[in-house]
Amino acid sequence: MAEALILENCDLDCSSNNRSHHTGDIGCQKLVVRRGQAFHINLQFSPRGYEEGVDQLTLIVETGPCPSEDSGTEAHIKVTDTLQEGVWSAAVSSSDGESLVLSISSPPDARIGNYTLSLETSTGTEENSCGVGEFILLFNPWCPEDSVYLENEEERTEYVVTQFGMIFMGTKDSITSVPWNYGQFEDGVLEACLQVLDANPKYNNDSSKDCSRRNDPVYISRIVSAMVNSNDDRGVLCGRWDNCYDDGFSPMFWIGSVDILRRWRKFGCQAVRYGQCWVFAAVACSVLRSLGIPARVITNYNSAHDTNRNLLIEQYIDEQGGMQKKQKEIIWYFHCWVEAWMSRPDLGDSYNGWQAIDPTPQEKSEGVYCCGPTPVTAVKEGDLDLKYDVPFVFAEVNADLIYYVKQKDGTNKQTIYTAEIGKNISTKAVGKESRVDITDNYKYAEGSEDERRVFEKANQFSTVPRRLAEDVPSGISIKIKVSEGMNNGCDFDVFAVINNNTEEEKECRLMFCARTSSYTGEVGPECGMKDLLNLKLESNEEKRVPLRVLYEKYSCSLTQDNMIKLVALLHDYSTKDILLAMRDIHIKNPDIKVRVVGEPKQNRKLVADISLKNPLSEPLVGCCFTVEGAGLTEEVVRKELEDPVEPGQVAKVRVDLIPQLPGLRKLVVDFESDRLKGVKGHKNVIIAPLPK
């Protein structure tokens, strides 16, 4: 009888397997593979080698605290001579007498997560069992049978592998972008993302049921949406919007997800303070990409928050152009969420593709602060009866908006105003740092037959019947135009442009006001005002009325969002009509300059010289540069300046870089001071690989 077969050594060949499974950037310290695709391991036995026909091998894979075959969290795999499709399978790839190479394949609907791998050997009546190792199994967008399969290779690279992105902010008329380090392959990030799943309440209530559902990206993305905010659970981020961040970090402080996820994991799943919509969305994007689900951050301009699900937003302003306090429903200047790519067998093939997932805690969904996954196609088609949260997302891009002006006698007068909800819906272009407009994915062209069809369908689910916007008869019109050079520290002009399109002379009153504001739509103190009681307009005349906005007026109340709301109210004395024009403007911060010194080669030290010129008429104190980049810095680097930076002077720091990985890498920089918050910059660094 042959001697018992004893496993002496196992090589999981992490480096080769990870590269072939598109997880090479995670390094070679752990095996990270994708479902539906084979990987190989090398086994060495003693006191003899494996003998075909004599030895029988069985592999056991397990995930979760209570693995079972019934729940799909355990599988016993007999080693054969060929792999089978659609199930856990193992086959002998090669054997040379001393070592045995096995190929192992998981089904394309396997549960994702941490797995243990063990081996049972049988030689006649001799049986042995031993542990082989551990691996992490992820979703696989490269596998056609996987529910997250994405056909286009460039899109797979962008939405799964790329660790850098651009997030769009500002206003619809002044779109800005900030760089973001998603860092899904950085040390500790994948572990934190898996811990996000294990910290969710459904896992705590029934871990077996939760783990058995981890083959479904719909379920996983809903968990991620709930767990990125901390409102109901031990989520990653605490949200705050009141500009009081002394007991944490301002949302503008963050330049990547890595530091946030590491902090959350390091401090026992205590919520990191603080986040706002783009931070929530970016962290969710990192978690989804880390788990293998294609994801991208989306920005919607003039985004409606509909609390009562009537698809109608009512806003109240006073005669001075000021917004009334504590309005229940708001219009965000911009709002960010994340889209994830997956099929929807629960809804039907027509709803496959991009799904909107919003981790910002706004409204509860099935009793929890989460939103989605919402099929983008369902939003466009007005299919409001589908799960999840289609009416809420539909309202964000389609709600009607009515403004009322509160009169001195206490009555409210509806204004003539063209609502502009859901504008310039944006995301980063594939393979580029530019913006791509995806508004057509969410809604049909205004005035089209399809738009009318969708409105009629949506009306069936609305508590208040809606009507399509109609053209306002031409008479008097008003709009706001802005000038160039709206830079922080500068004075600038804005203009109310009024057209009298009638044959009659008109006498009007113009109230033109500027107020600092936040991106949520909340307005602050006045920083510019003009009240013309008797503005005369000749027939067919266009008149431009300037308003000077002074730095000394807006500097003290400007929020971290760098936004100012312009409101122009025109009272037509003859018709008693009130015309409203509004515009949100973004004050530009100075640029950060980044210069890399040295030859960019793998494992060769580099330095980055980083500088920013103070554009203000006062010193900057409490200055700090924050730097990070996947494959460039092992951790976040913070450089504080001891001395104030006087007006016109340049703040400078030098940061050491250690390029660990070849290819295009992104260095992301943030600057904070008492007067300049959340100034962002970035730099492309192309790292040459080590010579072979």
Short mmCIF file of all heavy atoms in Angstrom, two decimals, residues 153-196:
data_model
loop_
_atom_site.label_atom_id
_atom_site.label_comp_id
_atom_site.label_asym_id
_atom_site.label_seq_id
_atom_site.Cartn_x
_atom_site.Cartn_y
_atom_site.Cartn_z
N GLU A 153 -13.46 46.89 -22.85
CA GLU A 153 -12.23 46.79 -22.06
C GLU A 153 -11.80 48.14 -21.48
O GLU A 153 -11.36 48.22 -20.32
CB GLU A 153 -11.10 46.21 -22.93
CG GLU A 153 -9.73 46.17 -22.24
CD GLU A 153 -9.71 45.29 -20.99
OE1 GLU A 153 -10.50 44.33 -20.91
OE2 GLU A 153 -8.89 45.58 -20.09
N GLU A 154 -11.92 49.21 -22.25
CA GLU A 154 -11.54 50.53 -21.75
C GLU A 154 -12.41 50.94 -20.57
O GLU A 154 -11.93 51.54 -19.61
CB GLU A 154 -11.62 51.57 -22.87
CG GLU A 154 -10.57 51.40 -23.96
CD GLU A 154 -10.67 52.47 -25.02
OE1 GLU A 154 -11.72 53.18 -25.05
OE2 GLU A 154 -9.73 52.62 -25.81
N GLU A 155 -13.69 50.60 -20.64
CA GLU A 155 -14.58 50.93 -19.53
C GLU A 155 -14.27 50.08 -18.30
O GLU A 155 -14.34 50.55 -17.17
CB GLU A 155 -16.04 50.74 -19.96
CG GLU A 155 -16.50 51.77 -20.99
CD GLU A 155 -17.95 51.59 -21.38
OE1 GLU A 155 -18.56 50.58 -20.98
OE2 GLU A 155 -18.48 52.47 -22.09
N ARG A 156 -13.93 48.80 -18.51
CA ARG A 156 -13.52 47.97 -17.37
C ARG A 156 -12.30 48.56 -16.68
O ARG A 156 -12.23 48.60 -15.45
CB ARG A 156 -13.23 46.54 -17.83
CG ARG A 156 -14.45 45.72 -18.17
CD ARG A 156 -14.11 44.25 -18.26
NE ARG A 156 -13.18 43.95 -19.33
CZ ARG A 156 -13.49 43.30 -20.45
NH1 ARG A 156 -14.73 42.91 -20.65
NH2 ARG A 156 -12.58 43.05 -21.35
N THR A 157 -11.35 49.00 -17.48
CA THR A 157 -10.15 49.61 -16.90
C THR A 157 -10.50 50.85 -16.10
O THR A 157 -10.03 51.05 -14.97
CB THR A 157 -9.14 49.97 -18.01
OG1 THR A 157 -8.75 48.77 -18.68
CG2 THR A 157 -7.90 50.65 -17.43
N GLU A 158 -11.36 51.69 -16.65
CA GLU A 158 -11.73 52.95 -16.00
C GLU A 158 -12.54 52.70 -14.73
O GLU A 158 -12.27 53.31 -13.68
CB GLU A 158 -12.54 53.82 -16.96
CG GLU A 158 -13.04 55.13 -16.37
CD GLU A 158 -11.93 56.14 -16.11
OE1 GLU A 158 -11.02 56.24 -16.96
OE2 GLU A 158 -11.98 56.81 -15.06
N TYR A 159 -13.53 51.83 -14.80
CA TYR A 159 -14.51 51.73 -13.72
C TYR A 159 -14.21 50.65 -12.69
O TYR A 159 -14.91 50.54 -11.69
CB TYR A 159 -15.90 51.49 -14.32
CG TYR A 159 -16.36 52.58 -15.25
CD1 TYR A 159 -16.97 52.29 -16.47
CD2 TYR A 159 -16.16 53.93 -14.93
CE1 TYR A 159 -17.38 53.29 -17.33
CE2 TYR A 159 -16.57 54.93 -15.79
CZ TYR A 159 -17.18 54.61 -16.99
OH TYR A 159 -17.59 55.62 -17.83
N VAL A 160 -13.15 49.85 -12.92
CA VAL A 160 -12.78 48.82 -11.94
C VAL A 160 -11.34 48.97 -11.47
O VAL A 160 -11.06 48.90 -10.28
CB VAL A 160 -13.00 47.40 -12.52
CG1 VAL A 160 -12.70 46.34 -11.47
CG2 VAL A 160 -14.42 47.23 -13.04
N VAL A 161 -10.42 49.18 -12.40
CA VAL A 161 -8.99 49.13 -12.10
C VAL A 161 -8.41 50.51 -11.77
O VAL A 161 -7.54 50.63 -10.90
CB VAL A 161 -8.22 48.50 -13.29
CG1 VAL A 161 -6.73 48.49 -13.02
CG2 VAL A 161 -8.72 47.08 -13.54
N THR A 162 -8.87 51.55 -12.46
CA THR A 162 -8.28 52.88 -12.26
C THR A 162 -8.52 53.38 -10.84
O THR A 162 -9.63 53.32 -10.32
CB THR A 162 -8.89 53.87 -13.27
OG1 THR A 162 -8.58 53.41 -14.60
CG2 THR A 162 -8.32 55.26 -13.07
N GLN A 163 -7.44 53.88 -10.22
CA GLN A 163 -7.52 54.29 -8.81
C GLN A 163 -7.62 55.80 -8.65
O GLN A 163 -7.60 56.31 -7.53
CB GLN A 163 -6.28 53.78 -8.06
CG GLN A 163 -6.16 52.27 -8.07
CD GLN A 163 -5.14 51.78 -7.07
OE1 GLN A 163 -5.38 51.75 -5.87
NE2 GLN A 163 -3.97 51.42 -7.57
N PHE A 164 -7.74 56.54 -9.76
CA PHE A 164 -7.81 57.99 -9.70
C PHE A 164 -9.05 58.45 -10.44
O PHE A 164 -9.47 57.84 -11.41
CB PHE A 164 -6.57 58.59 -10.36
CG PHE A 164 -6.63 60.08 -10.58
CD1 PHE A 164 -6.26 60.95 -9.57
CD2 PHE A 164 -7.05 60.61 -11.79
CE1 PHE A 164 -6.32 62.32 -9.75
CE2 PHE A 164 -7.11 61.98 -11.99
CZ PHE A 164 -6.74 62.83 -10.96
N GLY A 165 -9.65 59.54 -9.98
CA GLY A 165 -10.82 60.08 -10.66
C GLY A 165 -10.94 61.57 -10.50
O GLY A 165 -10.20 62.20 -9.74
N MET A 166 -11.88 62.14 -11.24
CA MET A 166 -12.24 63.55 -11.12
C MET A 166 -13.71 63.62 -10.72
O MET A 166 -14.56 62.94 -11.31
CB MET A 166 -12.03 64.29 -12.44
CG MET A 166 -10.62 64.22 -12.99
SD MET A 166 -9.39 65.03 -11.93
CE MET A 166 -9.87 66.74 -12.07
N ILE A 167 -14.00 64.46 -9.72
CA ILE A 167 -15.38 64.65 -9.27
C ILE A 167 -15.78 66.08 -9.60
O ILE A 167 -15.05 67.03 -9.29
CB ILE A 167 -15.50 64.38 -7.76
CG1 ILE A 167 -15.13 62.93 -7.46
CG2 ILE A 167 -16.92 64.68 -7.27
CD1 ILE A 167 -15.11 62.59 -5.99
N PHE A 168 -16.94 66.24 -10.22
CA PHE A 168 -17.36 67.56 -10.70
C PHE A 168 -18.23 68.25 -9.65
O PHE A 168 -19.11 67.65 -9.04
CB PHE A 168 -18.07 67.41 -12.04
CG PHE A 168 -17.14 66.88 -13.09
CD1 PHE A 168 -17.10 65.53 -13.38
CD2 PHE A 168 -16.25 67.72 -13.73
CE1 PHE A 168 -16.21 65.02 -14.32
CE2 PHE A 168 -15.35 67.23 -14.66
CZ PHE A 168 -15.33 65.87 -14.96
N MET A 169 -17.96 69.53 -9.47
CA MET A 169 -18.62 70.33 -8.44
C MET A 169 -18.98 71.68 -9.05
O MET A 169 -19.17 71.78 -10.25
CB MET A 169 -17.69 70.45 -7.21
CG MET A 169 -17.30 69.10 -6.62
SD MET A 169 -16.04 69.16 -5.33
CE MET A 169 -16.96 69.90 -4.00
N GLY A 170 -19.06 72.72 -8.23
CA GLY A 170 -19.38 74.05 -8.72
C GLY A 170 -20.87 74.22 -8.99
O GLY A 170 -21.70 73.70 -8.25
N THR A 171 -21.19 74.93 -10.05
CA THR A 171 -22.58 75.17 -10.44
C THR A 171 -22.77 74.78 -11.89
O THR A 171 -21.80 74.54 -12.62
CB THR A 171 -22.95 76.65 -10.26
OG1 THR A 171 -22.28 77.42 -11.28
CG2 THR A 171 -22.54 77.16 -8.89
N LYS A 172 -24.02 74.74 -12.32
CA LYS A 172 -24.28 74.33 -13.71
C LYS A 172 -23.67 75.29 -14.72
O LYS A 172 -23.37 74.91 -15.86
CB LYS A 172 -25.78 74.19 -13.95
CG LYS A 172 -26.54 75.50 -14.04
CD LYS A 172 -28.01 75.26 -14.36
CE LYS A 172 -28.77 76.58 -14.51
NZ LYS A 172 -28.30 77.36 -15.66
N ASP A 173 -23.50 76.54 -14.31
CA ASP A 173 -22.91 77.53 -15.21
C ASP A 173 -21.40 77.67 -15.02
O ASP A 173 -20.74 78.32 -15.83
CB ASP A 173 -23.57 78.90 -14.99
CG ASP A 173 -25.04 78.89 -15.32
OD1 ASP A 173 -25.39 78.39 -16.41
OD2 ASP A 173 -25.84 79.35 -14.49
N SER A 174 -20.89 77.09 -13.95
CA SER A 174 -19.45 77.17 -13.68
C SER A 174 -19.01 75.83 -13.08
O SER A 174 -18.83 75.70 -11.88
CB SER A 174 -19.15 78.33 -12.71
OG SER A 174 -17.77 78.39 -12.42
N ILE A 175 -18.85 74.84 -13.95
CA ILE A 175 -18.52 73.49 -13.51
C ILE A 175 -17.03 73.41 -13.19
O ILE A 175 -16.18 73.77 -14.00
CB ILE A 175 -18.90 72.46 -14.58
CG1 ILE A 175 -20.43 72.46 -14.77
CG2 ILE A 175 -18.41 71.07 -14.22
CD1 ILE A 175 -20.91 71.57 -15.89
N THR A 176 -16.74 72.94 -11.97
CA THR A 176 -15.35 72.76 -11.56
C THR A 176 -15.13 71.27 -11.28
O THR A 176 -16.07 70.48 -11.22
CB THR A 176 -15.04 73.57 -10.29
OG1 THR A 176 -15.87 73.10 -9.21
CG2 THR A 176 -15.31 75.05 -10.51
N SER A 177 -13.89 70.90 -11.11
CA SER A 177 -13.58 69.50 -10.82
C SER A 177 -12.52 69.43 -9.74
O SER A 177 -11.68 70.32 -9.62
CB SER A 177 -13.10 68.77 -12.08
OG SER A 177 -11.90 69.33 -12.57
N VAL A 178 -12.58 68.36 -8.97
CA VAL A 178 -11.55 68.10 -7.96
C VAL A 178 -11.04 66.68 -8.17
O VAL A 178 -11.79 65.78 -8.54
CB VAL A 178 -12.08 68.27 -6.51
CG1 VAL A 178 -12.51 69.69 -6.26
CG2 VAL A 178 -13.23 67.31 -6.23
N PRO A 179 -9.74 66.46 -7.96
CA PRO A 179 -9.19 65.10 -8.12
C PRO A 179 -9.53 64.25 -6.91
O PRO A 179 -9.75 64.76 -5.81
CB PRO A 179 -7.68 65.37 -8.21
CG PRO A 179 -7.47 66.62 -7.41
CD PRO A 179 -8.71 67.45 -7.62
N TRP A 180 -9.57 62.94 -7.12
CA TRP A 180 -9.87 62.03 -6.01
C TRP A 180 -9.04 60.75 -6.16
O TRP A 180 -8.96 60.18 -7.24
CB TRP A 180 -11.35 61.68 -5.97
CG TRP A 180 -11.74 61.04 -4.67
CD1 TRP A 180 -11.76 59.71 -4.37
CD2 TRP A 180 -12.12 61.72 -3.46
NE1 TRP A 180 -12.13 59.50 -3.07
CE2 TRP A 180 -12.37 60.73 -2.49
CE3 TRP A 180 -12.28 63.05 -3.12
CZ2 TRP A 180 -12.78 61.04 -1.18
CZ3 TRP A 180 -12.69 63.37 -1.83
CH2 TRP A 180 -12.93 62.37 -0.88
N ASN A 181 -8.45 60.31 -5.05
CA ASN A 181 -7.69 59.06 -5.02
C ASN A 181 -8.60 57.96 -4.47
O ASN A 181 -8.81 57.86 -3.28
CB ASN A 181 -6.45 59.23 -4.13
CG ASN A 181 -5.63 57.96 -4.05
OD1 ASN A 181 -5.53 57.20 -5.00
ND2 ASN A 181 -5.02 57.72 -2.90
N TYR A 182 -9.15 57.13 -5.37
CA TYR A 182 -10.02 56.03 -4.93
C TYR A 182 -9.22 54.96 -4.20
O TYR A 182 -9.68 54.42 -3.20
CB TYR A 182 -10.76 55.42 -6.11
CG TYR A 182 -11.76 56.35 -6.75
CD1 TYR A 182 -11.63 56.76 -8.07
CD2 TYR A 182 -12.83 56.85 -6.02
CE1 TYR A 182 -12.55 57.62 -8.66
CE2 TYR A 182 -13.75 57.72 -6.59
CZ TYR A 182 -13.60 58.10 -7.91
OH TYR A 182 -14.51 58.97 -8.48
N GLY A 183 -8.03 54.64 -4.70
CA GLY A 183 -7.09 53.79 -3.98
C GLY A 183 -7.61 52.42 -3.60
O GLY A 183 -7.26 51.89 -2.54
N GLN A 184 -8.42 51.80 -4.48
CA GLN A 184 -9.05 50.53 -4.10
C GLN A 184 -8.06 49.38 -3.93
O GLN A 184 -8.40 48.36 -3.32
CB GLN A 184 -10.13 50.14 -5.12
CG GLN A 184 -9.64 49.88 -6.54
CD GLN A 184 -9.73 51.10 -7.41
OE1 GLN A 184 -9.56 52.23 -6.95
NE2 GLN A 184 -9.98 50.90 -8.69
N PHE A 185 -6.83 49.54 -4.44
CA PHE A 185 -5.83 48.47 -4.29
C PHE A 185 -4.76 48.82 -3.24
O PHE A 185 -3.80 48.06 -3.06
CB PHE A 185 -5.14 48.19 -5.63
CG PHE A 185 -6.08 47.69 -6.69
CD1 PHE A 185 -6.20 48.34 -7.90
CD2 PHE A 185 -6.85 46.56 -6.47
CE1 PHE A 185 -7.07 47.87 -8.88
CE2 PHE A 185 -7.72 46.08 -7.45
CZ PHE A 185 -7.83 46.74 -8.65
N GLU A 186 -4.91 49.94 -2.56
CA GLU A 186 -3.94 50.32 -1.54
C GLU A 186 -4.03 49.41 -0.31
O GLU A 186 -5.07 48.80 -0.04
CB GLU A 186 -4.15 51.78 -1.13
CG GLU A 186 -3.84 52.78 -2.23
CD GLU A 186 -2.35 52.90 -2.52
OE1 GLU A 186 -1.68 53.72 -1.88
OE2 GLU A 186 -1.86 52.13 -3.38
N ASP A 187 -2.93 49.34 0.45
CA ASP A 187 -2.87 48.45 1.61
C ASP A 187 -4.03 48.71 2.58
O ASP A 187 -4.27 49.85 2.98
CB ASP A 187 -1.54 48.63 2.36
CG ASP A 187 -0.37 48.03 1.61
OD1 ASP A 187 -0.62 47.26 0.66
OD2 ASP A 187 0.79 48.32 1.98
N GLY A 188 -4.70 47.65 2.94
CA GLY A 188 -5.75 47.74 3.95
C GLY A 188 -7.11 48.14 3.44
O GLY A 188 -8.11 48.02 4.17
N VAL A 189 -7.20 48.62 2.18
CA VAL A 189 -8.48 49.11 1.68
C VAL A 189 -9.46 47.97 1.41
O VAL A 189 -10.63 48.03 1.82
CB VAL A 189 -8.28 49.98 0.42
CG1 VAL A 189 -9.62 50.30 -0.25
CG2 VAL A 189 -7.55 51.27 0.79
N LEU A 190 -9.00 46.91 0.74
CA LEU A 190 -9.90 45.78 0.48
C LEU A 190 -10.38 45.16 1.79
O LEU A 190 -11.57 44.81 1.92
CB LEU A 190 -9.19 44.74 -0.38
CG LEU A 190 -9.98 43.46 -0.69
CD1 LEU A 190 -11.34 43.77 -1.31
CD2 LEU A 190 -9.17 42.54 -1.60
N GLU A 191 -9.49 45.05 2.76
CA GLU A 191 -9.89 44.51 4.05
C GLU A 191 -10.96 45.39 4.70
O GLU A 191 -11.92 44.88 5.31
CB GLU A 191 -8.68 44.38 4.97
CG GLU A 191 -7.69 43.28 4.58
CD GLU A 191 -6.77 43.69 3.45
OE1 GLU A 191 -6.87 44.83 2.96
OE2 GLU A 191 -5.94 42.86 3.04
N ALA A 192 -10.80 46.70 4.58
CA ALA A 192 -11.80 47.62 5.13
C ALA A 192 -13.13 47.47 4.40
O ALA A 192 -14.20 47.50 5.02
CB ALA A 192 -11.30 49.06 5.04
N CYS A 193 -13.07 47.28 3.08
CA CYS A 193 -14.31 47.14 2.30
C CYS A 193 -15.05 45.86 2.68
O CYS A 193 -16.29 45.84 2.75
CB CYS A 193 -13.99 47.16 0.81
SG CYS A 193 -13.31 48.74 0.23
N LEU A 194 -14.31 44.77 2.91
CA LEU A 194 -14.95 43.54 3.36
C LEU A 194 -15.51 43.69 4.77
O LEU A 194 -16.54 43.11 5.11
CB LEU A 194 -13.95 42.38 3.29
CG LEU A 194 -13.52 41.98 1.87
CD1 LEU A 194 -12.38 40.97 1.92
CD2 LEU A 194 -14.70 41.42 1.08
N GLN A 195 -14.82 44.50 5.57
CA GLN A 195 -15.32 44.75 6.92
C GLN A 195 -16.60 45.58 6.88
O GLN A 195 -17.47 45.45 7.77
CB GLN A 195 -14.25 45.44 7.77
CG GLN A 195 -14.58 45.45 9.26
CD GLN A 195 -13.38 45.81 10.11
OE1 GLN A 195 -12.25 45.87 9.63
NE2 GLN A 195 -13.62 46.04 11.39
N VAL A 196 -16.75 46.44 5.87
CA VAL A 196 -17.99 47.18 5.68
C VAL A 196 -19.16 46.20 5.56
O VAL A 196 -20.23 46.40 6.16
CB VAL A 196 -17.90 48.08 4.43
CG1 VAL A 196 -19.29 48.58 4.02
CG2 VAL A 196 -16.98 49.27 4.69
#
